[in-house]
Amino acid sequence: MITNFLLDHSALVPVAILLVALVCAVLGRLLAGRRRILWALTGVALVPVFALTLVPTGSTIEEIVCTVQFSLPSLGAVELLANVALFLPPVYFAALASRRPLTTLAAGSALSAVVEASQALVPTIGRACDTNDWLMNTLGAVLGVLLAAVTARLANRRAQSGSSMGAMSS
């Protein structure tokens, strides 16, 4: 259903990615330093990841197979761009909450690999393993970490300028 909507409205997918990034950035900026809330947002952002990748489709794939291919996304590659958008929010919020961007990036990429391996090894869920999905999910994780680094830097600047202003008025 979601795939059909995205295919019918493919021009909206790049806009959707930008909106996802913008919403993440605004929430991250507002909630910087509130680690419990950021972890909760990470959990909420993981729900679509699991729902769209591991919930059974109702069909069964007959054999264990994984398509091996590597393509870069283009504006018309709806599924590839959707995979980028899927991993951006959970990695973004986890990177802000943990303050360990490289560890979070590795975890995001590893989670995607586990999802793809599960799709390949559990044919009863009816999902197809594809290395492009892993690559695009990892690209989304990279974008999430980069956006988190920018957000953290802005939050640190704001905190430093606020503390220096307080020192000046004393």
Side-chain angles (χ1 to χ4, degrees):
M1 183 170 101
I2 292 172
T3 302
N4 291 339
F5 176 81
L6 293 174
L7 290 172
D8 291 343
H9 302 90
S10 60
L12 295 177
V13 175
V15 174
I17 291 175
L18 290 175
L19 286 175
V20 165
L22 181 62
V23 168
C24 286
V26 168
L27 287 174
R29 182 93 159 112
L30 291 173
L31 301 170
R34 296 185 175 151
R35 294 174 77 180
R36 284 186 183 176
I37 295 173
L38 291 169
W39 281 121
L41 287 172
T42 301
V44 169
L46 283 170
V47 170
V49 171
F50 294 119
L52 294 172
T53 61
L54 295 175
V55 170
T57 63
S59 62
T60 300
I61 296 176
E62 297 301 319
E63 59 184 300
I64 296 174
V65 67
C66 191
T67 303
V68 178
Q69 60 180 338
F70 294 101
S71 302
L72 292 176
S74 65
L75 292 180
V78 173
E79 189 175 342
L80 295 179
L81 291 174
N83 277 311
V84 171
L86 189 61
F87 268 67
L88 191 151
V91 171
Y92 171 78
F93 292 125
L96 281 179
S98 70
R99 299 181 184 145
R100 296 182 180 272
L102 294 179
T103 302
T104 305
L105 174 59
S109 183
L111 175 61
S112 179
V114 167
V115 164
E116 295 306 315
S118 298
Q119 290 174 345
L121 298 172
V122 185
T124 56
I125 64 173
R127 304 257 178 202
C129 169
D130 190 326
T131 56
N132 256 350
D133 291 349
W134 168 79
L135 181 64
M136 292 304 104
N137 292 341
T138 299
L139 180 59
V142 167
L143 293 175
V145 164
L146 291 174
L147 186 60
V150 170
T151 302
R153 178 168 278 158
L154 291 173
N156 287 340
R157 257 193 211 154
R158 188 172 87 189
Q160 287 175 352
S161 68
S163 64
S164 66
M165 290 292 197
M168 292 172 130
S169 63
S170 296

